[in-house]
Amino acid sequence: MSLYAIADLHLSSTVHKPMDIFGDIWFNHQTKIEINWNNIVSKEDTVLVLGDISWAMKLADAKSDLDFIDKLNGNKILISGNHDYWWGKTGKLNSLYENMFFLKKDFATFENFAICGTKGWLCPQDTFFKEEDAKKYEIEVDRLKLSLELAMNASYKDIIVVLHFPPTNDKKEPSGFTKLIQQYNVKKVIYGHLHGENSYGASLMGFHDGIQYDLVSADFLNFNPKFIL
């Protein structure tokens, strides 16, 4: 069994939101996702789906997008992104599908690894950080800490952190997220949210202080789920 990751599917089966306005790479992107995913991922594998899943505003409208993901190969672990307004009560979401786990204020597992995470948020001193972002940032740092604590209390020592937002600001400075990542001896950090060549390098990538950081935005991956483990 293998673990893969991809973020920012931006599905819109019930909402008119053509993504190709953001570049030709997005033309017919849902078909690309389906073909690439099923060519790479087996039914026994697991895929981390890291936010900005559907443009729908309500769960009823997002259901067809979630059904699409459900029919793709493998088990799925999902976190929310800043555009996932349809994400309501997580318990209800987790009652809908057998092979899809919606992660919030909790942790998931893959073999001997704990998958800990939360949506994340813009970090202080980011170019786009505003005063009103401070509270959301603190909430998301606390949620990551809760997820990590739950995993540690369950005796997991090998931890992967998943976020939708990058773990730093666009200056790649330390944040509350990176402090927790170091404190809890995290092995890998995986995130999305960044789009376009001018943004791909706006956070940590590769090894830093012994921790592997991976960007998995769908367009950055050319819509191919990235092998993690």
Coordinates of all heavy atoms in Angstrom, one line a residue, residues 31-89:
T31 N -11.3 15.8 -15.7 CA -10.9 14.6 -16.5 C -9.5 14.2 -16.3 O -9.2 13.0 -16.2 CB -11.2 14.8 -18.0 OG1 -12.6 15.1 -18.2 CG2 -10.9 13.6 -18.8
K32 N -8.6 15.2 -16.3 CA -7.2 14.9 -16.0 C -7.0 14.3 -14.7 O -6.3 13.3 -14.5 CB -6.4 16.2 -16.0 CG -6.3 16.9 -17.4 CD -5.4 18.2 -17.3 CE -5.4 19.0 -18.6 NZ -4.6 20.2 -18.4
I33 N -7.7 14.8 -13.7 CA -7.6 14.2 -12.3 C -8.1 12.8 -12.3 O -7.4 11.9 -11.8 CB -8.5 15.0 -11.3 CG1 -7.9 16.4 -11.1 CG2 -8.6 14.3 -10.0 CD1 -8.8 17.4 -10.4
E34 N -9.2 12.5 -12.9 CA -9.7 11.1 -13.0 C -8.8 10.2 -13.6 O -8.5 9.1 -13.1 CB -11.1 11.1 -13.7 CG -11.7 9.7 -13.7 CD -13.1 9.8 -14.3 OE1 -13.4 10.8 -15.0 OE2 -13.9 8.8 -14.1
I35 N -8.3 10.5 -14.8 CA -7.4 9.6 -15.6 C -6.1 9.4 -14.8 O -5.6 8.3 -14.6 CB -7.1 10.2 -17.0 CG1 -8.5 10.2 -17.8 CG2 -6.1 9.4 -17.7 CD1 -8.3 10.9 -19.1
N36 N -5.4 10.5 -14.4 CA -4.1 10.4 -13.7 C -4.2 9.7 -12.4 O -3.4 8.8 -12.1 CB -3.5 11.8 -13.5 CG -3.2 12.5 -14.8 OD1 -3.2 11.9 -15.9 ND2 -3.0 13.8 -14.7
W37 N -5.2 10.0 -11.6 CA -5.4 9.4 -10.3 C -5.6 7.9 -10.5 O -4.9 7.1 -9.8 CB -6.7 10.0 -9.7 CG -7.0 9.5 -8.3 CD1 -7.1 8.2 -7.8 CD2 -7.3 10.4 -7.2 NE1 -7.5 8.2 -6.5 CE2 -7.6 9.5 -6.1 CE3 -7.4 11.7 -7.0 CZ2 -8.0 10.0 -4.8 CZ3 -7.8 12.2 -5.8 CH2 -8.1 11.4 -4.7
N38 N -6.5 7.4 -11.3 CA -6.7 6.0 -11.5 C -5.6 5.2 -12.1 O -5.4 4.0 -12.0 CB -8.0 5.7 -12.2 CG -9.2 6.0 -11.3 OD1 -9.2 6.0 -10.1 ND2 -10.4 6.4 -11.9
N39 N -4.7 6.0 -12.9 CA -3.5 5.3 -13.5 C -2.4 5.2 -12.4 O -1.6 4.3 -12.6 CB -3.0 6.2 -14.6 CG -3.8 6.0 -15.9 OD1 -4.5 5.0 -16.1 ND2 -3.7 6.9 -16.8
I40 N -2.4 6.0 -11.4 CA -1.3 6.0 -10.4 C -1.7 5.3 -9.2 O -0.9 4.5 -8.6 CB -1.0 7.5 -10.1 CG1 -0.3 8.1 -11.3 CG2 0.0 7.5 -8.9 CD1 -0.1 9.6 -11.1
V41 N -2.9 5.5 -8.7 CA -3.4 5.0 -7.4 C -4.1 3.7 -7.5 O -5.0 3.6 -8.4 CB -4.3 6.0 -6.7 CG1 -4.8 5.5 -5.4 CG2 -3.6 7.4 -6.6
S42 N -3.8 2.7 -6.7 CA -4.5 1.4 -6.7 C -5.6 1.5 -5.7 O -5.7 2.4 -4.9 CB -3.6 0.3 -6.4 OG -3.3 0.3 -5.0
K43 N -6.5 0.5 -5.7 CA -7.6 0.5 -4.8 C -7.2 0.3 -3.3 O -7.9 0.6 -2.4 CB -8.6 -0.7 -5.2 CG -9.3 -0.4 -6.5 CD -10.3 -1.5 -6.9 CE -11.0 -1.2 -8.2 NZ -11.9 -2.3 -8.6
E44 N -6.0 -0.2 -3.1 CA -5.4 -0.5 -1.8 C -4.7 0.7 -1.2 O -4.3 0.8 0.0 CB -4.5 -1.7 -1.8 CG -5.2 -3.0 -2.0 CD -5.6 -3.2 -3.5 OE1 -4.9 -2.7 -4.4 OE2 -6.6 -3.9 -3.8
D45 N -4.4 1.7 -2.1 CA -3.6 2.9 -1.6 C -4.5 3.9 -0.9 O -5.7 3.8 -0.9 CB -3.0 3.5 -2.8 CG -1.9 2.7 -3.5 OD1 -1.4 1.8 -2.8 OD2 -1.7 2.8 -4.7
T46 N -3.9 4.9 -0.4 CA -4.5 6.0 0.3 C -4.1 7.3 -0.3 O -2.9 7.5 -0.5 CB -4.3 6.0 1.8 OG1 -4.8 4.8 2.4 CG2 -4.9 7.2 2.5
V47 N -5.0 8.3 -0.4 CA -4.7 9.6 -1.0 C -5.1 10.7 0.0 O -6.3 10.7 0.5 CB -5.4 9.8 -2.3 CG1 -5.0 11.2 -2.9 CG2 -5.1 8.7 -3.3
L48 N -4.2 11.6 0.3 CA -4.5 12.8 1.1 C -5.0 13.9 0.2 O -4.4 14.2 -0.8 CB -3.2 13.2 1.8 CG -2.5 12.2 2.7 CD1 -1.1 12.7 3.1 CD2 -3.3 11.8 3.9
V49 N -6.2 14.3 0.5 CA -6.9 15.4 -0.4 C -6.9 16.6 0.5 O -7.7 16.8 1.4 CB -8.3 14.9 -0.8 CG1 -8.9 16.0 -1.7 CG2 -8.2 13.6 -1.5
L50 N -6.0 17.6 0.2 CA -5.7 18.7 1.1 C -6.4 20.0 0.8 O -5.8 21.0 0.5 CB -4.2 18.9 1.2 CG -3.4 17.6 1.6 CD1 -2.0 17.9 1.8 CD2 -4.1 16.9 2.7
G51 N -7.7 20.0 0.8 CA -8.5 21.2 0.8 C -8.8 21.8 -0.6 O -8.2 21.5 -1.6
D52 N -9.7 22.8 -0.6 CA -10.3 23.4 -1.8 C -10.7 22.3 -2.7 O -10.3 22.2 -3.9 CB -9.3 24.4 -2.4 CG -9.2 25.7 -1.7 OD1 -9.9 25.9 -0.7 OD2 -8.5 26.6 -2.2
I53 N -11.6 21.5 -2.2 CA -12.1 20.3 -2.8 C -13.2 20.7 -3.8 O -13.2 20.2 -5.0 CB -12.6 19.3 -1.8 CG1 -11.4 18.9 -0.9 CG2 -13.2 18.1 -2.4 CD1 -11.8 18.3 0.4
S54 N -14.2 21.5 -3.4 CA -15.4 21.8 -4.2 C -15.7 23.2 -4.1 O -15.6 23.8 -3.0 CB -16.6 20.9 -3.8 OG -17.7 21.4 -4.4
W55 N -16.1 23.8 -5.2 CA -16.6 25.2 -5.1 C -18.0 25.4 -4.6 O -18.5 26.5 -4.4 CB -16.6 25.8 -6.6 CG -15.2 26.2 -7.1 CD1 -14.5 25.6 -8.1 CD2 -14.4 27.3 -6.6 NE1 -13.3 26.2 -8.3 CE2 -13.2 27.3 -7.4 CE3 -14.6 28.3 -5.6 CZ2 -12.2 28.2 -7.2 CZ3 -13.5 29.2 -5.5 CH2 -12.4 29.2 -6.3
A56 N -18.7 24.3 -4.3 CA -20.1 24.4 -3.8 C -20.1 25.1 -2.5 O -19.2 25.1 -1.7 CB -20.6 23.0 -3.7
M57 N -21.2 25.7 -2.2 CA -21.4 26.5 -1.0 C -22.1 25.6 0.1 O -22.0 25.8 1.3 CB -22.2 27.7 -1.2 CG -21.6 28.7 -2.2 SD -20.1 29.4 -1.5 CE -20.7 30.5 -0.2
K58 N -22.9 24.6 -0.4 CA -23.7 23.8 0.5 C -23.4 22.3 0.2 O -23.0 21.9 -0.9 CB -25.2 24.0 0.3 CG -25.7 25.4 0.6 CD -27.1 25.6 0.3 CE -27.6 27.0 0.6 NZ -29.1 27.2 0.4
L59 N -23.5 21.5 1.3 CA -23.2 20.1 1.2 C -24.0 19.4 0.1 O -23.5 18.6 -0.7 CB -23.4 19.4 2.5 CG -23.2 17.8 2.5 CD1 -21.7 17.5 2.0 CD2 -23.4 17.3 3.9
A60 N -25.3 19.8 -0.1 CA -26.1 19.2 -1.1 C -25.5 19.4 -2.5 O -25.6 18.5 -3.3 CB -27.5 19.7 -1.0
D61 N -24.9 20.5 -2.7 CA -24.4 20.8 -4.0 C -23.0 20.2 -4.1 O -22.5 20.0 -5.3 CB -24.3 22.4 -4.2 CG -25.6 23.0 -4.2 OD1 -26.6 22.4 -4.8 OD2 -25.8 24.1 -3.7
A62 N -22.3 20.0 -3.0 CA -20.9 19.4 -3.1 C -21.0 17.9 -3.2 O -20.0 17.3 -3.5 CB -20.1 19.8 -1.8
K63 N -22.2 17.3 -3.0 CA -22.3 15.9 -2.9 C -21.8 15.2 -4.2 O -21.1 14.2 -4.1 CB -23.7 15.5 -2.6 CG -24.0 14.0 -2.4 CD -23.3 13.5 -1.1 CE -23.8 12.1 -0.7 NZ -23.8 11.1 -1.7
S64 N -22.1 15.8 -5.3 CA -21.7 15.1 -6.6 C -20.2 15.2 -6.7 O -19.6 14.3 -7.3 CB -22.4 15.8 -7.8 OG -22.1 17.2 -7.8
D65 N -19.6 16.2 -6.2 CA -18.1 16.3 -6.3 C -17.5 15.3 -5.3 O -16.5 14.6 -5.7 CB -17.6 17.7 -5.9 CG -18.0 18.8 -7.0 OD1 -18.1 18.4 -8.1 OD2 -18.2 19.9 -6.6
L66 N -18.1 15.1 -4.2 CA -17.6 14.1 -3.2 C -17.8 12.7 -3.7 O -17.0 11.8 -3.6 CB -18.3 14.3 -1.9 CG -18.0 15.6 -1.1 CD1 -18.8 15.7 0.2 CD2 -16.5 15.8 -0.9
D67 N -18.9 12.5 -4.4 CA -19.2 11.2 -5.0 C -18.1 10.9 -6.1 O -17.7 9.8 -6.2 CB -20.6 11.2 -5.7 CG -21.7 11.2 -4.7 OD1 -21.4 11.0 -3.5 OD2 -22.9 11.4 -5.1
F68 N -17.7 11.9 -6.8 CA -16.7 11.7 -7.8 C -15.4 11.3 -7.2 O -14.7 10.3 -7.7 CB -16.5 13.1 -8.6 CG -15.2 13.1 -9.4 CD1 -15.2 12.5 -10.7 CD2 -14.1 13.8 -9.0 CE1 -14.0 12.6 -11.5 CE2 -12.9 13.8 -9.7 CZ -12.9 13.2 -11.0
I69 N -15.0 11.9 -6.1 CA -13.8 11.5 -5.4 C -13.9 10.1 -4.8 O -13.0 9.3 -4.9 CB -13.5 12.5 -4.3 CG1 -13.2 13.9 -4.9 CG2 -12.3 12.1 -3.4 CD1 -13.1 15.0 -3.8
D70 N -15.1 9.8 -4.3 CA -15.3 8.5 -3.7 C -15.1 7.4 -4.7 O -14.6 6.3 -4.4 CB -16.7 8.5 -3.1 CG -17.1 7.1 -2.5 OD1 -16.3 6.7 -1.6 OD2 -18.1 6.5 -2.8
K71 N -15.5 7.6 -6.0 CA -15.4 6.6 -7.0 C -14.0 6.4 -7.5 O -13.7 5.4 -8.2 CB -16.3 6.9 -8.1 CG -17.8 6.8 -7.8 CD -18.7 7.3 -8.9 CE -20.2 7.2 -8.5 NZ -21.1 7.7 -9.5
L72 N -13.1 7.4 -7.2 CA -11.7 7.2 -7.6 C -11.0 6.1 -6.8 O -11.5 5.8 -5.7 CB -10.9 8.5 -7.4 CG -11.4 9.7 -8.3 CD1 -10.7 11.0 -7.9 CD2 -11.3 9.4 -9.8
N73 N -9.9 5.5 -7.3 CA -9.3 4.5 -6.6 C -8.8 4.9 -5.2 O -8.4 6.0 -5.0 CB -8.1 3.9 -7.4 CG -8.5 3.1 -8.6 OD1 -9.6 2.7 -8.7 ND2 -7.6 2.9 -9.5
G74 N -8.8 3.9 -4.3 CA -8.1 4.1 -3.0 C -9.0 4.7 -1.9 O -10.1 5.1 -2.1
N75 N -8.4 4.7 -0.7 CA -9.0 5.4 0.4 C -8.6 6.8 0.4 O -7.6 7.2 -0.1 CB -8.6 4.7 1.7 CG -8.9 3.2 1.8 OD1 -10.1 2.9 1.7 ND2 -7.9 2.4 2.0
K76 N -9.4 7.7 1.0 CA -9.1 9.1 1.0 C -9.2 9.7 2.4 O -10.1 9.4 3.2 CB -10.1 9.9 0.1 CG -10.0 9.5 -1.4 CD -11.0 8.4 -1.7 CE -10.8 8.0 -3.2 NZ -11.8 6.9 -3.5
I77 N -8.2 10.6 2.7 CA -8.3 11.4 3.9 C -8.3 12.8 3.5 O -7.5 13.3 2.7 CB -7.0 11.1 4.8 CG1 -7.0 9.6 5.2 CG2 -7.0 12.0 6.0 CD1 -5.6 9.2 5.9
L78 N -9.4 13.6 3.9 CA -9.6 14.9 3.4 C -9.5 15.9 4.5 O -10.0 15.7 5.7 CB -11.0 15.0 2.7 CG -11.3 14.0 1.6 CD1 -11.9 12.7 2.2 CD2 -12.2 14.6 0.6
I79 N -9.0 17.1 4.2 CA -9.1 18.3 5.1 C -9.7 19.4 4.3 O -9.7 19.4 3.1 CB -7.7 18.7 5.7 CG1 -6.7 19.1 4.6 CG2 -7.1 17.6 6.6 CD1 -5.4 19.7 5.1
S80 N -10.2 20.4 5.0 CA -10.9 21.5 4.3 C -9.9 22.6 3.9 O -8.8 22.7 4.4 CB -11.9 22.1 5.2 OG -11.3 22.7 6.4
G81 N -10.3 23.4 2.9 CA -9.5 24.5 2.5 C -10.3 25.8 2.7 O -11.5 25.7 3.1
N82 N -9.8 26.9 2.3 CA -10.5 28.2 2.5 C -11.7 28.4 1.7 O -12.6 29.2 1.9 CB -9.5 29.4 2.3 CG -8.8 29.3 1.0 OD1 -8.1 28.4 0.7 ND2 -8.9 30.4 0.2
H83 N -11.9 27.6 0.6 CA -13.0 27.7 -0.3 C -14.1 26.6 0.0 O -15.1 26.6 -0.7 CB -12.6 27.6 -1.7 CG -11.8 28.8 -2.2 ND1 -12.4 30.1 -2.2 CD2 -10.6 28.9 -2.7 CE1 -11.4 30.9 -2.6 NE2 -10.4 30.2 -3.0
D84 N -13.8 25.7 1.0 CA -14.8 24.6 1.2 C -15.9 25.0 2.2 O -16.0 24.5 3.3 CB -14.0 23.4 1.7 CG -13.1 22.8 0.7 OD1 -13.6 22.6 -0.5 OD2 -12.0 22.4 1.0
Y85 N -16.7 25.9 1.8 CA -17.8 26.5 2.6 C -18.9 25.4 2.9 O -19.6 25.5 3.8 CB -18.4 27.7 1.9 CG -17.5 28.8 1.8 CD1 -17.0 29.2 0.5 CD2 -17.1 29.6 2.8 CE1 -16.1 30.2 0.3 CE2 -16.2 30.7 2.7 CZ -15.7 31.0 1.4 OH -14.8 32.0 1.3
W86 N -18.9 24.4 2.1 CA -19.9 23.3 2.2 C -19.6 22.4 3.4 O -20.4 21.6 3.8 CB -19.9 22.5 0.9 CG -18.6 22.0 0.6 CD1 -17.7 22.6 -0.3 CD2 -17.9 20.8 1.0 NE1 -16.5 21.9 -0.3 CE2 -16.6 20.8 0.5 CE3 -18.3 19.8 1.9 CZ2 -15.7 19.8 0.7 CZ3 -17.4 18.7 2.1 CH2 -16.1 18.8 1.6
W87 N -18.3 22.5 3.9 CA -17.9 21.6 5.0 C -18.6 22.0 6.3 O -18.2 23.0 6.9 CB -16.4 21.6 5.1 CG -15.7 20.7 6.0 CD1 -16.0 20.5 7.4 CD2 -14.7 19.7 5.7 NE1 -15.2 19.5 7.9 CE2 -14.4 19.0 6.9 CE3 -14.0 19.4 4.6 CZ2 -13.4 18.0 7.0 CZ3 -13.0 18.4 4.6 CH2 -12.7 17.7 5.8
G88 N -19.6 21.3 6.7 CA -20.3 21.6 7.9 C -19.8 20.7 9.1 O -18.7 20.7 9.5
K89 N -20.8 19.9 9.6 CA -20.4 19.0 10.7 C -19.6 17.8 10.2 O -20.1 17.1 9.4 CB -21.7 18.6 11.4 CG -22.4 19.7 12.1 CD -23.7 19.2 12.9 CE -24.4 20.4 13.6 NZ -25.6 19.9 14.4

